[in-house]
Amino acid sequence: MSFIEKMFDQARKDKKTIVLPEPMDKRTYEAAEKIVKLDIANVVIIGTPEEIEKNGAGFDLSGVTFVDPFNDPNKQKYIDKFVELRGKKGVTPESAKEQMEKDYMYYACLMCKCGDADGAVSGACHSTGNTIRPALQLLKTKPGISGVSGFFVMEVPDCTLGENGLFLFADCAVNPDMDEDKMAEIAGLSAESFEAFVGGQAKVALLSFSTKGSASNDRVTMVANAAAKAQERFPQYMIDGELQLDAALVPEVGQLKAPESKVAGNANTLVFPDLESGNIGYKLVQRLAKANAYGPILQGLSLPVNDLSRGCFADDIVGTVAITAVQAQIAAK
């Protein structure tokens, strides 16, 4: 069974309500139709009757719930919550109403915050920033977590490395700048995400062009310090670095270059030292190894919100909704 089929099965066990706030895109409706047929989530689409009629024509939308952001009976509750959360930042009832009507992602996050939905998926026609910003402002990060990061679950065919070909790559989507504290936090969050989604014990490698001091450079020192901080902050997980990619993945190389490491040669969770290498790395594996890349999946938020590529297909939305629903199950525990 593939990774995404496992997500479908898990999502069905305790169906969650996921909001799709992009009624201007036909992929939203195609995905909603499939989600209902697969029975993996309760779907809410935010949009006006005119938007839904124009863009949803021809799709079987029975079983989908629609929320009109201009005439929703719950709207005042959401306005009040918005002001409660952002009043000190100058948000008034009038400006809250205007923002919610202009940007439906704010409406979706407020539905989640008020308990009327369990998660949201956006980004088919909005930037990553436009997806994350409302979530950070309204949902906030988990207690003790400073920021949001993004990971991909990589499913590599005919591969015995990692967790039988399954890997978690982070951060490949969110943070353009990395420092040792941020990298250490991402390592811990990624270990938690690996064990929640893939199963088994996470073995986290913090990647570099150096293994255990084989090169001297400020970037190498940053990764080594991040590994030390991650080990101290997250002692429940197996985390090590700095490790070159081959030392992290290949048992023979790991034994040669880092014989004392329990992660070297056995890593299944890879934390990249910057966004450039992370983004390039996952796309290389996706294209050259013909791997399935599921993500970016956001971690660190108090409630699940996930981003989409603007070039995504409806099936990508379906898969992301299933993953978001599983995240919501985990958050509810």
Side-chain angles (χ1 to χ4, degrees), residues 136-190:
L136 283 174
Q137 291 179 1
L138 299 173
L139 302 179
K140 314 294 185 184
T141 56
K142 294 179 180 178
I145 300 301
S146 65
V148 177
S149 54
F151 67 88
F152 282 80
V153 173
M154 305 298 297
E155 187 176 39
V156 184
D158 303 318
C159 178
T160 58
L161 301 178
E163 198 74 13
N164 294 316
L166 283 172
F167 302 86
L168 188 148
F169 287 12
D171 174 12
C172 306
V174 178
N175 295 285
D177 300 309
M178 192 75 73
D179 58 36
E180 57 194 52
D181 291 315
K182 187 176 293 183
M183 193 175 191
E185 182 172 271
I186 290 171
L189 287 171
S190 297

Side-chain angles (χ1 to χ4, degrees), residues 142-331:
K142 294 179 180 178
I145 300 301
S146 65
V148 177
S149 54
F151 67 88
F152 282 80
V153 173
M154 305 298 297
E155 187 176 39
V156 184
D158 303 318
C159 178
T160 58
L161 301 178
E163 198 74 13
N164 294 316
L166 283 172
F167 302 86
L168 188 148
F169 287 12
D171 174 12
C172 306
V174 178
N175 295 285
D177 300 309
M178 192 75 73
D179 58 36
E180 57 194 52
D181 291 315
K182 187 176 293 183
M183 193 175 191
E185 182 172 271
I186 290 171
L189 287 171
S190 297
E192 180 183 33
S193 293
F194 180 91
E195 294 187 1
F197 285 98
V198 179
Q201 185 176 32
K203 302 177 184 71
V204 185
L206 277 65
L207 299 179
S208 175
F209 59 86
S210 167
T211 296
K212 298 297 182 179
S214 64
S216 178
N217 181 274
D218 288 345
R219 297 297 296 173
V220 173
T221 301
M222 185 275 286
V223 178
N225 289 345
K229 289 185 175 183
Q231 290 163 353
E232 181 178 357
R233 184 174 174 185
F234 305 101
Q236 69 272 36
Y237 298 123
M238 291 176 62
I239 301 173
D240 202 5
E242 85 283 9
L243 294 170
Q244 291 164 285
L245 181 66
D246 56 352
L249 293 180
V250 182
E252 296 81 3
V253 180
Q255 181 61 33
L256 178 67
K257 292 188 174 184
E260 304 300 320
S261 174
K262 295 181 180 180
V263 172
N266 300 293
N268 51 30
T269 301
L270 305 180
V271 179
F272 291 82
D274 54 53
L275 185 59
E276 284 181 312
S277 59
N279 191 270
I280 292 167
Y282 100 78
K283 289 182 178 179
L284 271 173
V285 174
Q286 180 185 28
R287 299 301 179 182
L288 298 186
K290 295 181 171 58
N292 292 317
Y294 301 103
I297 304 162
L298 301 181
Q299 57 186 1
L301 289 167
S302 63
L303 291 170
V305 167
N306 279 309
D307 187 28
L308 298 163
S309 165
R310 276 174 279 183
C312 70
F313 297 101
D315 284 343
D316 297 321
I317 302 175
V318 174
T320 303
V321 165
I323 291 168
T324 306
V326 173
Q327 281 183 303
Q329 292 174 356
I330 295 167

Side-chain angles (χ1 to χ4, degrees), residues 7 114 151 304:
M7 292 296 100
C114 291
F151 67 88

